[in-house]
Amino acid sequence: SPSCPDGRKRRVCYYYDPGISNVDYGKGHSMVPRRVAMTHGLVASYGLLNDMTRLRTRPASPEELLAFHDQKYVDLLGRLTPAAYISDGDLRRTAEEHGIGPVRRWDDGACTNDNPVIDGLMEYCLSYAGGSLAAARALCGGDHDVAINWSGGMHHACRGHANGFCYVNDIVLAIKQLLGRFRRVLYVDIDAHHGDGVEKAFADSNQVMTLSFHQYQTDFFPGTGSIDDVGDGAGRYHALNVPLKKGMDDQGYHELFKPIVGKAMQVFQPDAVVLQCGADSLSGDRLAGLELSVGGHAECVRYLRGFNAPLLLLGGGGYTINHVASCWCYETAVAVGKEDEIADEIPHHPYDHYYRSQGYKLQCRTEAPGSLSSGENKDAAAIRVKALEHLSA
Ligand code: TV1
Ligand code: CA
Ligand code: ZN
């Protein structure tokens, strides 16, 4: 029987490395990798693992990171441990030059550090990058239509620099892998933050179109991604940005997302699509202020899946971890075409106590956006017009 509204089954593969549950950015840090283990626990409890091929893959090799990152930075990641960071002054200075380790110290001795020296740093990087590379290879091989790595999506990492909780840019690596087989790749980024690292890596390319939707206001990280940033040289109009005000809800979001992504699909005609599914765009996130529901967020996945191009789904941000796991589990159901079959009631499983505050419900069924009264303001309408203009240029 058909598994989705368009009657076409999708062959889905899925990467998960249980080692992620031991990765710790430090006490009080916003980034909690355990949310990926929670997602996996939910996916398993709903029986969705039976609908996907599990990618049993090796971690990436340090050499594979060199497809984007520079040698000095990869060497640093390989040598950097919490103990070596403390005992080796040269290493400490090098790490801090590359954005890793405490750089901001407060008078009271506390320090905030987006990119800490974590235990097992290189293993963690090689695992999530290896997952995105394996997922990309699965799409290149043609035996899968959708490939998922919820531990990937680290869109801020630069060639030789950690940035915004991201050490290695698995997205750039995966897109480069896809370009070995596909001529044009569309990258769509629904994380609440601007996908700056990916945009910059392909800013002068007309083979990759990058399209980021993000909260944009003074003091919101990273501060780039204005509507007027459209790429350089041959890549002009192949980088698109859709800046959003905080408070943007499902309806307002999709009045932008669908026309803009639809037009991008039409004019760019990509051979493969990468969707960074950062879940910090959900309402109630601890860092961001957008107000998507799980249903509204997953609608982005459903919409892109409907174009039938090979689709790579990656994670990203997301700081209210029970919401993140609910969202990515539901999106896994969308990928395999079971979104109408999945019960809102969360099954009993080892992580179920995390969902108490949401009444043990996935909260995936939301009211259809009203068709009459538009929730849109003038600013959003002007952004849509400009973005569509960039796509016709
Ligand atoms: C340690 C402990 C680190 C508590 C970081 C929020 C923390 C943040 C922390 C935090 C925090 C940021 C900046 C700092 C500009 C920098 C995965 C120099 C309560 C994809 C990355 C956001 C988002 C970085 C990543 C941002 C992603 N916000 N508490 N740090 N200054 N950094 O603002 O896009 O989601 O916040
Ligand atoms: Ca984004
Ligand atoms: Zn984010």
Side-chain angles (χ1 to χ4, degrees):
S1 68
S3 65
C4 52
D6 62 11
R8 279 202 46 182
K9 289 217 180 214
R10 303 297 195 286
R11 297 160 303 167
V12 182
C13 62
Y14 170 87
Y15 174 79
Y16 173 68
D17 174 356
I20 191 97
S21 57
N22 303 318
V23 180
D24 186 357
Y25 277 66
K27 200 166 170 303
H29 199 288
S30 314
M31 177 55 94
V32 179
R34 191 174 63 250
R35 71 213 168 109
V36 177
M38 290 166 58
T39 303
H40 181 76
L42 265 188
V43 165
S45 78
Y46 275 106
L48 294 169
L49 292 176
N50 300 321
D51 299 305
M52 306 184 283
T53 308
R54 176 91 174 260
L55 288 170
R56 302 260 175 211
T57 188
R58 56 179 175 76
S61 66
E63 292 69 39
E64 284 174 305
L65 303 183
L66 299 174
F68 176 54
H69 294 284
D70 66 36
Q71 182 84 57
K72 272 174 70 180
Y73 183 57
V74 173
D75 289 346
L76 168 69
L77 291 174
R79 286 189 298 141
L80 196 52
T81 62
Y85 179 82
I86 291 166
S87 65
D88 182 340
D90 279 346
L91 184 64
R92 184 161 63 244
R93 268 184 296 280
T94 309
E96 291 183 9
E97 277 165 20
H98 292 80
I100 307 178
V103 276
R104 311 185 74 211
R105 287 188 186 81
W106 305 103
D107 297 341
D108 63 359
C111 56
T112 48
N113 178 207
D114 281 352
N115 317 306
V117 181
I118 61 187
D119 242 332
L121 177 59
M122 185 58 147
E123 263 184 287
Y124 166 56
C125 292
L126 296 176
S127 171
Y128 76 75
S132 297
L133 283 167
R137 285 193 301 268
L139 297 176
C140 291
D143 39 351
H144 291 97
D145 308 304
V146 183
I148 301 174
N149 175 20
W150 296 130
S151 63
M154 306 307 271
H155 59 179
H156 300 303
C158 303
R159 203 171 95 88
H161 209 271
N163 190 28
F165 315 161
C166 308
Y167 301 88
V168 159
N169 201 315
D170 61 296
I171 310 173
V172 173
L173 295 170
I175 292 174
K176 285 180 180 280
Q177 179 85 247
L178 290 170
L179 289 173
R181 163 78 174 73
F182 302 107
R183 272 171 312 169
R184 286 185 300 277
V185 176
L186 174 66
Y187 172 69
V188 181
D189 184 318
I190 61 172
D191 188 289
H193 298 95
H194 176 222
D196 54 357
V198 185
E199 176 181 294
K200 203 159 138 210
F202 298 110
D204 59 7
S205 168
N206 56 14
Q207 280 195 289
V208 179
M209 179 179 281
T210 61
L211 172 48
S212 176
F213 294 79
H214 45 265
Q215 186 173 335
Y216 188 72
Q217 66 193 47
T218 30
D219 288 343
F220 192 73
F221 185 85
T224 48
S226 96
I227 182 76
D228 298 315
D229 295 338
V230 293
D232 314 314
R236 193 161 170 79
Y237 301 119
H238 288 77
L240 282 173
N241 287 293
V242 184
L244 307 168
K245 290 236 158 67
K246 65 172 188 242
M248 175 64 76
D249 64 6
D250 289 349
Q251 183 175 336
Y253 198 92
H254 283 292
E255 283 170 3
L256 290 164
F257 187 85
K258 287 182 184 172
I260 293 170
V261 173
K263 179 94 178 202
M265 291 298 296
Q266 186 194 357
V267 304
F268 186 57
Q269 301 261 312
D271 305 295
V273 176
V274 177
L275 178 58
Q276 195 270 20
C277 301
D280 47 6
S281 41
L282 292 172
S283 150
D285 188 78
R286 292 166 63 140
L287 291 193
L290 301 180
E291 295 191 5
L292 291 183
S293 68
V294 169
H297 196 275
E299 181 63 15
C300 299
V301 177
R302 208 191 59 81
Y303 183 72
L304 274 167
R305 180 183 183 270
F307 289 95
N308 285 327
L311 178 61
L312 176 54
L313 298 179
L314 301 172
Y319 306 100
T320 303
I321 59 178
N322 51 312
H323 294 175
V324 177
S326 302
C327 181
W328 290 345
C329 172
Y330 184 60
E331 290 174 345
T332 306
V334 170
V336 303
K338 289 215 167 152
E339 72 260 43
D340 295 330
E341 287 165 53
I342 196 167
D344 202 29
E345 184 80 27
I346 288 172
H348 287 293
H349 73 292
Y351 287 108
D352 57 15
H353 57 279
Y354 281 95
Y355 306 96
R356 186 191 151 107
S357 66
Q358 56 189 74
Y360 305 103
K361 300 276 194 277
L362 218 48
Q363 294 183 328
C364 51
R365 314 247 183 273
T366 46
E367 297 140 66
S371 53
L372 278 177
S373 74
S374 170
E376 183 172 83
N377 60 43
K378 284 195 192 123
D379 292 344
I383 291 292
R384 184 182 55 221
V385 169
K386 270 204 174 183
L388 293 174
E389 272 172 18
H390 293 328
L391 283 165
S392 330

